[in-house]
Amino acid sequence: MPKDSRKGRGGTSLGTGRERQAPAAVEETSRPETTMLTEEVLRRENLVKAYHRVRANKGAPGIDGMTVDDLKLYLKEHWPRIKEQLIAGTYRPQPVRRVDIPKPGGKGTRSLGIPVVLDRFIQQAILQVLTPVFDPHFSDSSYGFRPGKSAHDAVRCARHYAEEGYRVVVDIDLEKFLETSSYCTPSHERFSKRPCWAPNTLI
């Protein structure tokens, strides 16, 4: 059997008793780690890297009309205030601009959300810090939007399985799943003092 078929689907492992400890204890131990992550996100070298990445990606403006070329001057004037808001947890991203694009084959449209450039900059800074933390724990069979992996790698893996004699492919698509489902676990929604949407508005 392929290596990953012996794991839990999606590369996750079964929970243990330790993982189900009292939420209060989890909250106490997570606060210092959260502070450290915030400091890493706001470190100058990380912010400079995020700025250059957003500039390189270009992209259309969000609802405020700001372009990537406008970002540098805006940060020079407003960054001290924005940084204070991020540290205090009071920063709120702006709504995204909705754009509907046609799906291949004329099968309706796909809705895309275009954040404002400032939020893309902050998102990129967060991504650069969180990716090394979480990516090593993802399934080896996960290829989408991961550093060092691509669709070509997925095709090579599928070809390898076909050469081993596998002939059945299961294709599942959860339509508009991320538009309707909660990103939070039930335990977070029950016990967390912070609203579930607070971190997810930026990530």
Side-chain angles (χ1 to χ4, degrees):
M1 297 179 66
K3 184 174 86 172
D4 286 278
S5 64
R6 296 186 177 92
K7 299 178 181 178
R9 292 304 179 193
T12 57
S13 59
L14 296 177
T16 64
R18 287 186 178 181
E19 293 171 348
R20 296 191 294 268
Q21 290 176 350
V26 174
E27 184 178 349
E28 288 179 7
T29 58
S30 64
R31 284 175 180 169
E33 296 177 2
T34 302
T35 301
M36 291 174 61
L37 287 173
T38 302
E39 292 174 351
E40 283 297 308
V41 168
L42 299 177
R43 191 164 52 88
R44 177 175 174 78
E45 292 81 0
N46 185 58
L47 294 173
V48 170
K49 181 180 178 181
Y51 170 78
H52 288 300
R53 184 60 183 268
V54 170
R55 286 271 301 174
N57 289 342
K58 299 180 180 180
I63 62 169
D64 61 355
M66 184 190 299
T67 67
V68 292
D69 295 326
D70 301 327
L71 180 60
K72 186 174 183 178
L73 289 177
Y74 184 87
L75 289 175
K76 282 186 175 181
E77 181 178 353
H78 299 283
W79 179 245
R81 172 181 56 83
I82 296 169
K83 181 178 179 180
E84 289 180 2
Q85 292 176 346
L86 290 169
I87 293 174
T90 58
Y91 179 85
R92 292 293 179 266
Q94 297 186 51
V96 299
R97 181 165 67 92
R98 177 171 173 168
V99 177
D100 293 324
I101 61 174
K103 291 184 177 180
K107 298 179 180 179
T109 61
R110 183 186 306 278
S111 297
L112 296 181
I114 303 178
V116 298
V117 174
L118 174 62
D119 289 337
R120 299 208 296 264
F121 164 68
I122 297 173
Q123 290 170 0
Q124 181 63 37
I126 295 173
L127 176 69
Q128 291 168 178
V129 172
L130 293 187
T131 295
V133 175
F134 291 104
D135 189 76
H137 302 285
F138 290 169
S139 169
D140 292 339
S141 298
S142 174
Y143 294 93
F145 304 100
R146 295 183 62 191
K149 292 199 173 188
S150 68
H152 297 289
D153 297 319
V155 170
R156 280 191 287 268
C157 182
R159 183 177 299 166
H160 174 70
Y161 286 158
E163 292 171 351
E164 287 186 339
Y166 292 92
R167 294 293 180 266
V168 178
V169 175
V170 179
D171 184 9
I172 300 176
D173 182 11
L174 301 178
E175 184 178 3
K176 298 183 179 179
F177 176 72
L178 296 180
E179 295 181 15
T180 58
S181 87
S182 171
Y183 287 78
C184 299
T185 62
S187 60
H188 180 100
E189 293 176 339
R190 285 186 59 192
F191 298 110
S192 177
K193 294 181 180 179
R194 299 187 64 183
C196 176
W197 46 262
N200 294 316
T201 51
L202 293 175
I203 300 174

